[in-house]
Amino acid sequence: MSNVSPPPPPPPPPLPGTRISSPTPSEPLIGAEDLSAWPGTGPVMVEAIGVTKSFGDVVAVSDVTFQIGSGVTAILGPNGAGKSTLFRMLCGLTQPSSGTVTMLGRNAGADREVRGRIGLAPQQDALFDRLSAGAFVALAAQTHGVVRAESRTREVLAQVELDVDDPKPVGSFSKGMRQRVKLAAALVNDPDVLVLDEPLTGLDPIQRQRMIALFGELAERGKCLLVSSHVLDEVARLGSNVLVLAQGRLAAAGDYRSLRDLMDDRPHRVRVGTDRPQQLAAALIERGSARGVTVLADAVIVDIDDIDGFGRIIAPLTVDLGLRLDELVPLDDDLESVFRYLVERRR
Amino acid sequence: MTAPAEIFDRGYRRYEGERTGVWQAMRSVLWHTIRSVLGIGRKGRHKVFPALVALVAFLPSIAFLAFAVLIGDMLSEELRPPYWELFGLPILVVVLFATLVAPEALVRDRRDGMFRLYLSTPLTKPTYLLAKFAAVMAVMAIVVAGPVLLLLVGYTVQNLGPDGFGAWIGVLGRILLSSVLIVGFMAALSLGASSLTDRRAIASVGVLGAVVGVSIVVGICVDAIGLRHELRVLDPLGAPVEMAARIFGEVGPAGESRGSAATPTWLVFAGVAAWTTVWLSVLVTRYRRLTAV
Amino acid sequence: MTQSVSTVRSVLLTHRLLVRQLLTPGRLLALLSLGAVVVLAAVGVAASDEVEDPARTIIEVMDGLGLVLVVPVVSLVFASASLGDLREDGTLVYLWLRPMDRLSVVAGAYLAALTVSLPLTTLPLAAAALVGKATVDGVIATVVAASFGVLAYSAAFVLLGLMIRNPIIWGLAYVLVWEGIFARFSEPVGNAAVRGYTRSLLANLSDVGLGPAAEANTSTAVLVCVFVAAGSLAMAAVRLNRLEVD
């Protein structure tokens, strides 16, 4: 039996609007003024080319290539997929075993100026526990060289709904409050690139909503936000650009709705509401318009390969049959389904 | 008639196998503590420190054996150190080993939340501590008993060992008894000091302070201030070695004093027992107050 | 909104933060009690009738307790924790991923360690020397030797804190085994131990002979301490730059 390796997969398509050209680390830093041109036509702000990271025998990230511009990009993947390792490499906290990573055109770990334009909210819970929230964020502002550190500290703490004058040490804070302190510290230098590892963990639903709105505002201002999260419906609300990691490899990149369309090996599932579901189900099967049907009391769940074609035939069909068409709801073109399909394929 | 059906995977299922109980849990804690402390199953860098310290602890024995091999039968009995002295020569290295072993055995569990997990098993606080105590004793025995046993075996091979089987067994018995008592003393002291903090680094310094710091204070009290020499039974560095000397029927340096009688043997044992009790009480009290959740 | 962080400001910011992190009540109490042991010894020397030459004996106590134990252990605890603790608990990222150069972060950490260690060593030792009836030269020698010891040890232990995960036990191994055992028996090993040079300073400045492992001349001893400090800090900056940060 021969042992044939499959050919390497083609590089994933760049996210919408990103440049394909790869700036080398020696190219000049992308200026803040360039960012205003985003979305769609601005520069690549974060880039990974053939990045692999191994810890001994364990390959955490394997041959990952992508480019990201401004806007929110969600990094998705099951636990252990390599998301945090990828984030650490992007910020220069650890060097890739092979491949190159650049942020704003340079290596963040080695370049002071780039470090000043990054905001990182790491996954780990560690903070300087003896400092108050105000002191912690003020320290972040000062170490970033923020000009009016005090007023900026006040401003970002207000954004995350924390009191700058609260003298309590962050060591006594709840998980959600600590998370907000981390976010404030990441925002304090008004960074061009924000790397947020599980930023919504521990926040209550209202705080999550506000944070998502804040991320949206930042994206509109031309910032590049990289966000990892396990809460998929919230990721979907952050934006549609995703990078899906599975077992250390980049499984997909791009708008998740487009990704769903590309999955032609997976039938689409649609709920068709009608007054006579059994009759509709029989007609769909008889005409070969569905791969499978499930009959409910007031609807039919239909598995179909060609969702556009189905959209064209369903209305005339119900008219022909004399049925009432109550609703037509796609059931699996949400992010969760896309994510599940992509990850399941690898397991 | 219904079609045959079978569920292949129900997801979570109750464990139906044999439940081996508290002894197996204790054995498991003991073995995993030994593995963790010695770096077994971990990367090479975790093995370097215990290996180096153990090597240094064995150096005096190796040096004496090398001397014996070179000179052979010509090595007179006066030039051979008494076995109990081998407990004292590497005593600082033993302390150094304790600064690694006890914090690693005890502090890490509290810091990583493993302690709470252990208490969700058949283990209770006393059985957990007993397993930890046994593990620390087992590891410490490498640097306490190992060098002396090596010397005994080496001398025996070189025909310089005790005369006759009975004498040999007698020396072995004394070595083992001394080792158990010294190791128990060191384990109590180092675990007690380590129980006071959740940081390994501070625990290491605490162990050092509890042994070397107290030893210095006792030394000052006796040598500089002129208090009674019997106070040396409270010297955590000197008293265990003195105890070993007494087990071998001799008087060591901590029991001697110019112009006055040697410290009584019972007092030497009482000193060691007092420190052991004090630190065991600290350990037990600290863990009794510790909430598991 | 932002401007570059100057080297001096980076040093000061790092220093201020780390002094606050290092000064925990537990550490202070433990290390003050170590200094108290030396004072206690000095009281003993002063009170003893058997001591013929207290000025000489107290210098020997400063050597045997102060330079051999207090100076290296206090330096080890604070210097190895200055950046080592941050690395261990995952907060180093908040200094590392900032537009500050690595050397200034290392220098800030070193100064923080000195800020805490110098008073915790020199004050008890000076007090002990005074209580123990040392001469003025003896007191000055004690303070100078302890200070240069702290300068050299602290830099080396800042580096150690960045090199390994458990710097305290390796530092103790260096102090107890390398300096305490091997350096006594071997001259080449003694030359590679900081203790020999701090003891030389104490012996030369107090004019009290302290034996074979304390025979470097004063300028050599000072130069070695400064060289150890500068070299260690430079290596620490390089190490910090290449560090895998959690």
Side-chain angles (χ1 to χ4, degrees), chain C residues 5-26:
Chain C
V5 188
S6 70
T7 301
V8 174
R9 187 153 171 76
S10 302
V11 172
L12 291 177
L13 283 168
T14 309
H15 171 263
R16 196 177 64 189
L17 168 74
L18 294 182
V19 166
R20 210 164 164 176
Q21 292 294 112
L22 289 174
L23 277 177
T24 62

Side-chain angles (χ1 to χ4, degrees), chain C residues 160-174:
Chain C
L160 192 67
L162 288 174
M163 297 286 288
I164 49 178
R165 290 272 177 191
N166 204 347
I168 288 281
I169 59 158
W170 281 99
L172 288 177
Y174 170 77

